[in-house]
Amino acid sequence: MGMKKTGIPYKRADLDGTYDAIVIGSGMGGLTVAALLSRYSGKRVLVLERHYVAGGYTHAFTRPGYDWDVGIHYIGEVQNPRSEMRQVMDAVTDGQVEWAPMGPVYDKIILGDDEYDFVTGIENFKNRLKGYFPDESVAIDRYVDLVKKSVASGQLYFAEKAIPPVAARIAGPMMRRKFLKYSRRTTRQVLEELTSNQTLISVLTGHWGDYGLPPAQSSFAIHAMVANHYFEGGNYPIGGASVIAAGAESVIARSGGQILINAEVQQILVEKGQATGVRMADGREIRARTVISGAGVALTYGKLLPKETVGRSGFPALMRQVGPSVGHLCLYLGFDETAGQLGLEKPNLWMYPDGNHEANFQAFYNDPSAQMPVVYASFPSAKDPAFEDRYPGKSTIDLITLARMDWFEQWQGSRWKNRGEEYDAFKDDLSARMLEVLFNRLPQLRGKVDHAELSTPLTTQHFCAYENGELYGLDHTPARFESRFLRPHTPVKNLFLTGQDICSAGVGGALFGGVLCASAITNRNMIGVVQRDRR
């Protein structure tokens, strides 16, 4: 029982008849809008994926004896069948995804030799933190309260993105106002007003890697969304991340749609100011009434749209307001023993040299030989109760840290798996340093690694088409949330955007990006539609 295969190779596909919508990219944003349009509007949707595996950051890959997810390490809120996140996920995947809770502790924040648990349940979370910081009880209560208020204020802000542009111009300022109060300030600015205890601030911001910016650079709004997302614990898809795309495929197929892999789109066709279809890399043209890009805002405007269309949209100036998010390294590890035998547990480890997040981030960003500002460890084989069935006697770990694309500039244009000895030596050095951080924490793993494979921003660029190898689309700075152009509607009629760029970071952000896009296309509140259906 291996990974679930999704999608039909483009060269072998039967592209008969017309499609109501074409979706570029099969990441969470693309799958969500495709499934919602199929399910609730009966639309025939064609999803085009340039990679040989569908799913974007929700895909998994295999090597003999192992598989790894590339982007799903834990998801919040899905343990509650009544939550919006779970209801949308069930609608998109036909209820085919089951979730295994990670248990009482989901994250361990490690600053040097000190360890702090993030525990499941808001009261538990507050009480555990107050145990670590008994003098900071008021600050901890106020922090949780502010996180909740910030997230609540986001409902109207995000709803405004989906309403017709004319209505948005009138109602927009009112709908956005409350949220902008939180999003305009950095995470550090907000926390410094709550407490002067720098260790507490370092702990509370200890999963900043989930959105890729340290506290002094990130918008408090993204920090609040991520923190709130996990307050009730983390969960892992049983059977691994590939079950998500497989579930969505069955929904899309019911309305006559399909997902094609190895299907590279070269250009979005625009005639008389409206999108009419796509031109593929082999020159073939496929037509549809609606075109949806889940390829990211920068790629859509920078490469997929005709130059004259982009010039008229004013997009180049807009893109100067907000840059790409950080890149990453991921070291995929395989072991010839089970998670139980190796003593691997479910909680993620956020391993920091100390609490100086900004200084450590900057030092490493300036010089890759500096100490790594964070090494994150996820233990999929411990989280997934079905892993043992797939790969008896084996276990896996994902190790992640940050990286810059320009460290790898000299290998631009080289081929995947064939970038030369110097590249391999650089990767070996980075891998060894990441492993050392892991072994210092879990010494029982030393000498036990059976398989190790490092992805770099060039790998991300190759598979996800993100030009800068970025992990979270556009940077989650205060300026990002000010931008009015990050919405499903575009200046091109019948062209829409989906995914994390129009909502927020990660799989949850991309999922709701898909909801906003489907709402904009159908002019219906898709959350309400899903909730009525799931009752």
Side-chain angles (χ1 to χ4, degrees):
M1 182 182 136
M3 200 173 80
K4 290 192 182 289
K5 292 274 188 277
T6 308
I8 303 159
Y10 167 65
K11 292 267 192 286
R12 295 214 299 272
D14 180 17
L15 290 170
D16 58 323
T18 55
Y19 293 91
D20 297 307
I22 290 171
V23 177
I24 303 166
S26 69
M28 196 73 246
L31 292 175
T32 299
V33 68
L36 294 177
L37 292 177
S38 303
R39 183 178 203 117
Y40 299 115
S41 297
K43 292 195 184 295
R44 191 168 186 235
V45 184
L46 177 66
V47 181
L48 299 169
E49 172 54 60
R50 68 195 288 277
H51 192 3
Y52 55 76
V53 185
Y57 279 127
T58 71
H59 88 266
F61 73 96
T62 58
R63 294 289 180 261
Y66 302 102
D67 67 32
W68 293 268
D69 51 61
V70 300
I72 289 200
H73 306 297
Y74 58 156
I75 303 273
E77 300 174 67
V78 288
Q79 73 283 349
N80 173 8
R82 312 286 321 143
S83 75
E84 287 181 1
M85 179 79 66
R86 173 62 180 272
Q87 289 179 321
V88 174
M89 191 65 89
D90 281 352
V92 168
T93 62
D94 228 14
Q96 289 181 37
V97 182
E98 292 178 74
W99 299 92
M102 284 172 66
V105 180
Y106 52 92
D107 277 330
K108 286 177 179 286
I109 311 299
I110 296 156
L111 308 178
D113 295 327
D114 299 325
E115 187 177 300
Y116 305 86
D117 291 348
F118 279 8
V119 296
T120 298
I122 286 193
E123 289 308 314
N124 300 333
F125 176 84
K126 291 200 288 196
N127 290 336
R128 181 67 61 96
L129 279 171
K130 288 172 187 177
Y132 298 131
F133 301 96
D135 299 337
E136 295 290 335
S137 181
V138 173
I140 290 162
D141 286 340
R142 285 181 62 207
Y143 164 76
V144 170
D145 191 40
L146 269 181
V147 164
K148 286 277 169 205
K149 282 181 173 158
S150 174
V151 170
S153 74
Q155 282 190 299
L156 281 177
Y157 170 89
F158 288 109
E160 187 265 351
K161 288 174 176 279
I163 64 177
V166 175
R169 276 199 289 279
I170 299 161
M174 281 295 290
M175 294 177 77
R176 291 159 54 86
R177 197 183 67 203
K178 265 190 176 169
F179 180 79
L180 289 175
K181 202 174 77 182
Y182 298 101
S183 70
R184 281 178 173 149
R185 309 179 68 214
T186 68
T187 307
R188 180 163 288 285
Q189 280 171 333
V190 172
L191 294 191
E192 297 261 5
E193 285 183 10
L194 298 178
T195 178
S196 57
N197 187 317
Q198 293 301 320
T199 308
L200 175 58
I201 291 175
S202 298
V203 171
L204 289 175
T205 57
H207 49 29
W208 62 262
D210 277 336
Y211 44 88
L213 280 177
Q217 294 177 36
S218 61
S219 163
F220 178 70
I222 185 64
H223 172 81
M225 283 187 271
V226 169
N228 183 69
H229 179 68
Y230 294 116
F231 275 158
E232 297 303 330
N235 308 271
Y236 192 81
I238 297 174
S242 63
V243 296
I244 292 173
E249 185 175 41
S250 60
V251 177
I252 293 162
R254 271 208 302 276
S255 291
Q258 53 188 344
I259 298 173
L260 302 187
I261 52 175
N262 296 119
E264 178 142 19
V265 172
Q266 188 180 61
Q267 194 168 58
I268 296 165
L269 300 172
V270 179
E271 294 161 25
K272 296 181 183 161
Q274 67 180 39
T276 57
V278 296
R279 182 181 298 114
M280 305 300 287
D282 64 2
R284 181 181 193 165
E285 294 187 355
I286 309 170
R287 303 278 166 169
R289 294 185 192 94
T290 303
V291 178
I292 300 155
S293 177
V297 170
L299 184 71
T300 304
Y301 283 98
K303 284 205 169 151
L304 295 178
L305 276 170
K307 284 205 171 28
E308 60 275 17
T309 305
V310 176
R312 282 198 296 273
S313 74
F315 177 76
L318 294 170
M319 274 311 276
R320 287 195 284 277
Q321 297 169 13
V322 52
S325 63
V326 71
H328 75 299
L329 305 170
C330 187
L331 185 58
Y332 300 97
L333 301 174
F335 297 84
D336 223 348
E337 292 178 47
T338 66
Q341 288 167 333
L342 290 171
L344 305 180
E345 296 175 334
K346 293 177 184 178
N348 308 304
L349 305 182
W350 294 91
M351 297 174 282
Y352 295 98
D354 53 47
N356 297 317
H357 297 321
E358 287 89 357
N360 295 334
F361 173 82
Q362 204 54 54
F364 187 60
Y365 212 58
N366 293 341
D367 176 8
S369 67
Q371 74 175 349
M372 292 174 170
V374 58
V375 175
Y376 165 87
S378 170
F379 306 95
S381 54
K383 296 175 194 177
D384 180 5
F387 188 90
E388 184 69 15
D389 300 336
R390 296 200 302 281
Y391 303 108
K394 303 277 192 180
S395 59
T396 56
I397 298 176
D398 298 347
L399 279 189
I400 300 173
T401 193
L402 308 170
R404 280 172 67 153
M405 178 57 109
D406 54 13
W407 297 347
F408 301 90
E409 223 153 42
Q410 66 193 92
W411 299 289
Q412 279 281 15
S414 60
R415 285 183 45 213
W416 180 58
K417 293 257 186 204
N418 193 16
R419 303 195 196 273
E421 283 177 22
E422 227 179 310
Y423 177 74
D424 292 341
F426 185 36
K427 279 176 56 167
D428 289 347
D429 173 62
L430 292 164
S431 300
R433 288 161 59 199
M434 292 169 79
L435 279 170
E436 204 48 43
V437 175
L438 178 71
F439 295 154
N440 283 340
R441 194 79 214 158
L442 301 174
Q444 72 272 27
L445 300 178
R446 201 179 281 277
K448 298 273 180 80
V449 177
D450 177 53
H451 181 94
E453 188 169 336
L454 186 75
S455 76
T456 72
L458 286 178
T459 323
T460 307
Q461 182 192 56
H462 175 76
F463 288 117
C464 297
Y466 275 131
E467 193 156 338
N468 295 285
E470 57 266 45
L471 179 56
Y472 295 121
L474 297 171
D475 242 348
H476 289 73
T477 57
R480 179 232 173 88
F481 292 102
E482 297 278 346
S483 295
R484 297 299 296 269
F485 74 100
L486 300 178
R487 56 202 307 114
H489 296 95
T490 72
V492 180
K493 198 179 173 198
N494 300 339
L495 173 66
F496 295 85
L497 302 173
T498 185
Q500 56 183 354
D501 281 353
I502 62 160
C503 192
S504 67
V507 170
L511 178 87
F512 282 107
V515 171
L516 292 178
C517 186
S519 301
I521 292 167
T522 59
N523 226 350
R524 294 157 82 193
N525 169 10
M526 207 42 84
I527 289 283
V529 172
V530 168
Q531 287 175 327
R532 285 191 292 279
D533 174 45
R534 308 310 296 172
R535 271 189 196 130

